[in-house]
Every structure is written in C-alpha cells, then in structure tokens.
Amino acid sequence: MLNYKIKILDNFLNEKDFEELSEYAKHLDADKRVNIYHNEIDQNNNIMSSSISPDLIKRLNKNYLSKAKNILKELNSEKIKLISHSDFSIIKTNKNAVFPIHDDTPDKLLSGVIYLYPKKNKGTKFYNKKNGEGKTEIDWKINRGVFFSRNERETWHSYQVDRINDRIKKLRKKGGHE
C-alpha cells in the first residue's frame, strides 16, 4: 500500500480525442530512448509551445482542464492556487527502455499519464521509497489515466517498456511553482 494517493480513471479521453492523439503519436519520430513533445497552454488559452495543432491543444485544454483541476483538488487541494499553465506532453519511449525510480520536478503540481498506444505494454510503478520498497504497479490499459500530486521525496515512480513495442503516453501536468 502506498503512503500517497493515486487516482486511476479508465476511458479518460473522449473517443475523438483519444483516436486523434493516438494516431498522431504513432507517427512521431523516436530518435532517443525517451522522446518528449511538449504542448503548453496558459490559463488565457495562449499556446506557449506545441508539437500538435493549435486546435487540438485548445480542445484538450477545454475538455480536460476542469477534470484535471478536480483530480488535483482531490489529491492536494492546496496546489490549486498555484496553477499557471497546462502541459499536454506526448512521450514516446523506445522498446526495451527503462526509466529509473524518480520523483518529479517541483513545477509539476499534478502528474499523470494516459496510455495511448499500443494495446498492451507495461504500466507505471509507484513506490514508498526510492530504493523500490512498497511497490504498487498500475497495469497498462489504453485510455487509462493515472494521476498523482507530487510530494518532495515521497512520490517515487518508474516505468519500463516491453521488448516488443514502443510506449506512447500523454502526460498531463499542471505548471506552477510550489
């Protein structure tokens, strides 16, 4: 059992958004072990950086910002006032890659993934300690959202990719400072 809360939501994205993001992500280049494509938008709907179409990032912000705020409110309500922007990053990880146990950076108020592609892969592992103690693994299921709110030196997690497929997820994080 973890000493922090995670939130799991199946069928997180509506069908249109899921299909469009999945199709886009399948065709991204993967020249490194982990490829990150940032898509940032501020609270006034101004695009700060984007690898996807402006219409899509604005639609994602419209469709999921309030949902993300509700998740953050449930996990750590004190951080709501710190939100400055959203980052809808798409992360493509090459097969056989392992991302070690780590704690997210302080600017991530709400961290989360939505598994996009392929149908089967390895999920996300959460730990109570950096040494791997107290492991809980969340299974990979397409369109499953897995969220947590970072706590300094407490929200340890990792992931790895199976030996057959690349791993593509959409990362949902809320920007700001703690």
Side-chain angles (χ1 to χ4, degrees):
M1 180 155 185
L2 291 174
N3 53 17
Y4 55 95
K5 292 190 276 183
I6 58 174
K7 178 86 173 175
I8 303 166
L9 296 165
D10 288 339
N11 301 310
F12 184 81
L13 300 169
N14 68 44
E15 189 174 334
K16 178 182 179 184
D17 294 338
F18 176 76
E19 291 298 325
E20 190 170 341
L21 278 169
S22 296
E23 198 54 40
Y24 174 80
K26 286 177 193 178
H27 301 289
L28 289 172
D29 289 332
D31 58 348
K32 297 182 282 189
R33 183 177 62 107
V34 177
N35 297 268
I36 302 172
Y37 301 88
H38 290 282
N39 300 285
E40 297 176 284
I41 187 167
D42 70 17
Q43 293 194 75
N44 296 317
N45 226 23
N46 297 311
I47 297 171
M48 300 159 60
S49 67
S50 185
S51 65
I52 59 178
S53 75
D55 290 341
L56 179 55
I57 190 170
K58 287 180 179 184
R59 188 172 77 231
L60 292 173
N61 199 50
K62 178 182 178 216
N63 290 346
Y64 305 104
L65 179 60
S66 64
K67 197 171 185 178
K69 282 182 177 180
N70 287 335
I71 294 167
L72 182 59
K73 192 180 298 184
E74 182 181 331
L75 297 177
N76 194 336
S77 62
E78 295 172 6
K79 291 184 178 181
I80 291 287
K81 63 183 179 275
L82 302 174
I83 296 171
S84 65
H85 67 281
S86 299
D87 186 346
F88 298 93
S89 293
I90 298 171
I91 301 173
K92 186 168 187 174
T93 309
N94 288 328
K95 58 188 170 192
N96 293 319
V98 175
F99 205 88
I101 297 173
H102 65 286
D103 194 16
D104 283 343
T105 59
D107 66 328
K108 290 187 180 180
L109 304 177
L110 177 67
S111 294
V113 298
I114 294 97
Y115 304 127
L116 297 176
Y117 178 83
K119 188 166 182 117
K120 291 181 77 174
N121 213 312
K122 296 186 178 189
T124 305
K125 297 173 187 165
F126 294 90
Y127 310 89
N128 285 329
K129 305 264 185 198
K130 186 176 183 177
N131 67 7
E133 183 181 308
K135 180 175 89 171
T136 297
E137 186 167 355
I138 306 304
D139 291 333
W140 177 281
K141 180 179 176 186
I142 60 170
N143 204 9
R144 170 174 279 170
V146 181
F147 299 89
F148 65 96
S149 181
R150 179 195 179 279
N151 290 316
E152 183 73 26
R153 291 186 293 276
E154 287 183 20
T155 46
W156 302 106
H157 57 286
S158 69
Y159 64 88
Q160 68 185 67
V161 182
D162 69 20
R163 295 172 189 248
I164 301 164
N165 299 294
D166 293 338
R167 181 183 198 262
I168 304 172
K169 64 183 181 175
K170 181 180 83 63
L171 173 68
R172 174 76 170 132
K173 74 176 184 178
K174 309 294 292 164
H177 300 285
E178 291 184 20

